[in-house]
DNA sequence: ACAGAGTATGATATACTATAGCGAGGCCGG
DNA sequence: CCGGCCTCGCTATAGTATATCATACTCTGT
């Protein structure tokens, strides 16, 4: 993994710390919720964060195998499903990929800005978007249970160049 | 919205007419754009509309085969790709499924309300949602190229019962 | 410490979704 | 009529996800 990372070109970005923070937060959240943050789940979450952009389930699987661990698709899908239920990971539907949640711990409806050039996916939580969606759904008598909002395009850094 | 509309099981809905209208419109749009609206493409579009809710590519394939036609996955994927390029069909990312466009002919960014109970997907074009998305993206220096907005939940008819 | 319930993981098989690549035939402009 | 392009048939394969059963772990109450 690139030690430098720095997703969107902005300044520096201590990737190791960022991953470690995410893991620490995850552990705490699971503790609070009485969920087991097992070694496997931790490793999967770590791999998702290390990628620092949406990563496919099978890419996670390959990395697990590279650890020397025995793993099969259900191994990773179960871990990802758990992490999504707890709110530590999001699934990007338009990419069939997964990414670490930027703001775990709080229920939230997020939106994603997916750059076609660099592959990063920035997580947003725009109240305005959320309100507009709620209003639009309400107009049609629709009760929202789940939201998928994914914009593809060019991110700030990539459009500069 | 179409004059008849009203999917969701309530009251009447002249399905045959609705499909025929969609096909007629499609033929005209392809003519205008100098695209070939072949028999296969027409049949695929017809099948998509007949389903009247998002339908998977392989379900379309089965129906094509039921016609006695020889068909393989590429057959249907090529047709669907064409129909999407022309704007006659949308893909629902969260379902890996396809649905006829309710307002073909005009460029538009649409949103979908997908009922988990009855499986229908209502197509919206909310300017407010669109504006909110554009604003949120703009705040982050992001240039939008494609939008995926899919809300899952319970539609009006299903929440009544 | 132990038994039992519930949960997590291992392992195999299979289902579902999508694309690559090649060749034959049709359509259309020159 | 011919040459290029588009459409379609066909086979193979890639990519994504789940069903199912077996094993092993963890926690709780005793």
């Amino acid at each position: 993994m690139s030690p430098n990372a720095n997703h969107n070109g902005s300044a520096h970005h201590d990737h190791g710390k960022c991953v470690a923070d995410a893991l620490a937060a995850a552990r705490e959240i699971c503790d609070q919720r009485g969920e087991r943050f097992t070694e496997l789940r931790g490793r999967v979450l770590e791999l998702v964060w290390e990628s620092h952009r949406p990563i496919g389930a099978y890419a996670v699987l390959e990395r697990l195998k590279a650890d020397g661990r025995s793993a099969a698709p259900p191994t990773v899908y179960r871990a990802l499903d758990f992490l999504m239920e707890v709110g530590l990971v999001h699934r990007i539907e338009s990419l069939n990929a997964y990414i670490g949640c930027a703001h775990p711990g709080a229920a939230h409806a997020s939106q994603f800005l997916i750059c076609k050039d660099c592959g990063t996916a920035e997580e947003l939580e725009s109240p305005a978007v959320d309100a507009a969606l709620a209003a639009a759904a309400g107009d049609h008598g629709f009760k929202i249970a789940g939201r998928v909002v994914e914009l593809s395009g060019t991110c700030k850094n990539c459009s500069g160049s």
Side-chain angles (χ1 to χ4, degrees), chain A:
Chain A
M1 172 62 45
S2 51
N4 42 1
N6 175 8
H7 356 172
N8 296 340
S10 71
H12 35 270
H13 164 69
D14 184 341
H15 207 73
K17 179 169 186 306
C18 137
V19 173
D21 285 355
L23 286 177
R27 194 175 305 274
E28 188 168 343
I29 288 167
C30 286
D31 272 4
Q32 286 175 2
R33 304 184 38 156
E35 301 282 359
R36 295 192 211 161
F37 191 70
T38 64
E39 199 270 336
L40 173 66
R41 291 168 176 173
R43 181 63 181 137
V44 168
L45 182 59
E46 187 178 15
L47 288 169
V48 167
W49 271 100
E50 276 176 358
S51 154
H52 225 175
R53 69 199 59 195
I55 183 176
Y58 278 72
V60 173
L61 178 57
E62 279 171 19
R63 287 160 173 72
L64 280 181
K65 284 180 178 167
D67 286 351
R69 178 194 300 264
S70 95
T75 308
V76 55
Y77 279 105
R78 280 189 293 228
L80 288 171
D81 286 348
F82 169 83
L83 294 169
M84 284 190 289
E85 269 174 24
V86 181
L88 295 168
V89 159
H90 293 292
R91 172 178 165 86
I92 310 285
E93 292 292 341
S94 55
L95 298 175
N96 292 333
Y98 305 82
I99 190 170
C101 174
H103 318 289
H108 61 284
S110 50
Q111 304 96 38
F112 293 93
L113 303 180
I114 304 164
C115 180
K116 291 183 297 187
D117 293 352
C118 64
T120 57
E122 185 174 0
E123 181 177 352
L124 260 59
E125 287 183 49
S126 161
V129 168
D130 219 34
L133 289 173
D139 286 349
H140 294 257
F142 187 91
K143 291 179 187 166
I144 299 177
R147 296 161 165 83
V148 173
V149 179
E150 301 168 7
L151 305 182
S152 72
T154 311
C155 75
K156 195 172 189 171
N157 292 298
C158 290
S159 63
S161 61

